[in-house]
Amino acid sequence: MKLGCAVSTYETKFGPIVFKDGNIRENARLLEKYGYESVDLFIKDCGDDQLWEYRELFAARGIGIITLFAIYLGENGVTLAERNPQLRRRNVDMVKRQLDKANVLGAKGLGMGFVRGMHEADETEEDALKRIAEALGKIGEYARSIGSCVLLEPINRYEVNTLNSAVKTADFVRENHLDGVVLQPDMFHMNIEDGPIPEVLRYVHPLIGNMHISSSNRYAVGNGHFDFVPVLQTLQELGYDGPLTFEGFAQDAEQSIRQTAEAMRRFEAQCGA
Ligand code: LER
Ligand code: MN
């Protein structure tokens, strides 16, 4: 089992990032201490030198980078659902530049959360999905050409109004033949939007590129009522050996990563692996 964790390189208030103080040197030390092997990294706009520094800082602790999140794009109104074709083309190019940054970091790929965008009040989700599919077609193709990928995350209805469930998102990727786009299912969102998690994981396989884990209440694993054993058993059956990345709320980040690691190892042992 490969554990990962959501980390911000800058001080942030964005809810579910475990380490939000931007003190990544200390964060990397703690992650190594509790046996974490990777991070999903939330960055601000920065140059290649800075990206190399991040990469080496984590690598020195044996920690790889899986998903690069550039949420500042979304905060600046960059979305793939943009209605103006000229602006949408500009946004596609901006997202492609983030894929270049993901490569500098040695990351698996670029996370696609809020940047996909929303449908507006006078249109349906399907209308916006046509624009998002067209944009992701180009971005996915570019990702493949540089050996990267887009990790598209189903996000619940209270945060965004497109691609809420993992099942719908898998259908969207398959129906639009979005090569270079994989899924980043997040158990917190799946709990709201999908059916039984093991069944849904079977449905979306082999598109899973990274998994976000937390408790059902989005705190450290072990606080809520998710049944992790059948989830882990299913992932094993499917041959998924990618990261299980803790993304959630944490009043005390060290205590939360310790608890999550201990709980996950306990659940893994119960799987009889
Ligand atoms: C947001 O709720 C989330 O789960 C993130 O991974 C996406 O930015
Ligand atoms: Mn997530």
Side-chain angles (χ1 to χ4, degrees), residues 120 149 153 215 263:
E120 291 180 25
C149 67
E153 182 161 344
S215 271

Side-chain angles (χ1 to χ4, degrees), residues 7 19 23-34 36 39 57-59 61 63:
V7 175
F19 284 105
N23 187 0
I24 52 173
R25 201 168 291 279
E26 170 63 4
N27 302 161
R29 186 186 71 79
L30 292 172
L31 287 167
E32 182 187 28
K33 178 175 170 189
Y34 296 107
Y36 286 74
V39 290
L57 185 148
F58 284 105
R61 298 279 180 188
I63 294 170

Side-chain angles (χ1 to χ4, degrees), residues 77-177:
V78 174
T79 77
L80 303 184
E82 167 64 51
R83 279 173 130 166
N84 177 322
Q86 216 175 331
L87 284 180
R88 195 162 66 250
R89 269 197 298 277
R90 184 208 62 176
N91 293 351
V92 165
D93 284 339
M94 288 172 90
V95 172
K96 285 183 186 169
R97 298 292 76 77
Q98 303 303 317
L99 279 159
D100 297 333
K101 288 178 195 282
N103 260 10
V104 176
L105 281 169
K108 175 171 183 152
L110 179 72
M112 179 55 59
F114 302 116
V115 171
R116 64 171 163 282
M118 307 264 270
H119 75 79
E120 291 180 25
D122 64 344
E123 63 174 354
T124 64
E125 178 182 2
E126 301 313 313
D127 292 329
L129 288 184
K130 287 195 187 110
R131 302 193 295 277
I132 296 172
E134 181 220 83
L136 274 179
K138 292 181 186 139
I139 293 165
E141 199 179 302
Y142 180 70
R144 263 169 59 119
S145 77
I146 62 166
S148 186
C149 67
V150 173
L151 295 124
L152 178 60
E153 182 161 344
I155 294 181
N156 78 76
R157 70 191 75 177
Y158 305 107
E159 298 182 43
V160 72
N161 65 13
T162 54
L163 302 174
N164 302 126
S165 73
V167 164
K168 176 157 191 152
T169 310
D171 288 344
F172 170 78
V173 169
R174 286 172 177 145
E175 283 161 15
N176 291 289
H177 309 288

Side-chain angles (χ1 to χ4, degrees), residues 14 16 42 69 71 112-114 153-156 159 184 186 188-189 212 218 247:
F14 183 65
F42 291 73
F69 275 109
I71 53 175
M112 179 55 59
F114 302 116
E153 182 161 344
I155 294 181
N156 78 76
E159 298 182 43
Q184 185 161 266
D186 180 323
F188 173 76
H189 301 306
H212 282 176
R218 229 180 187 186
E247 184 194 59

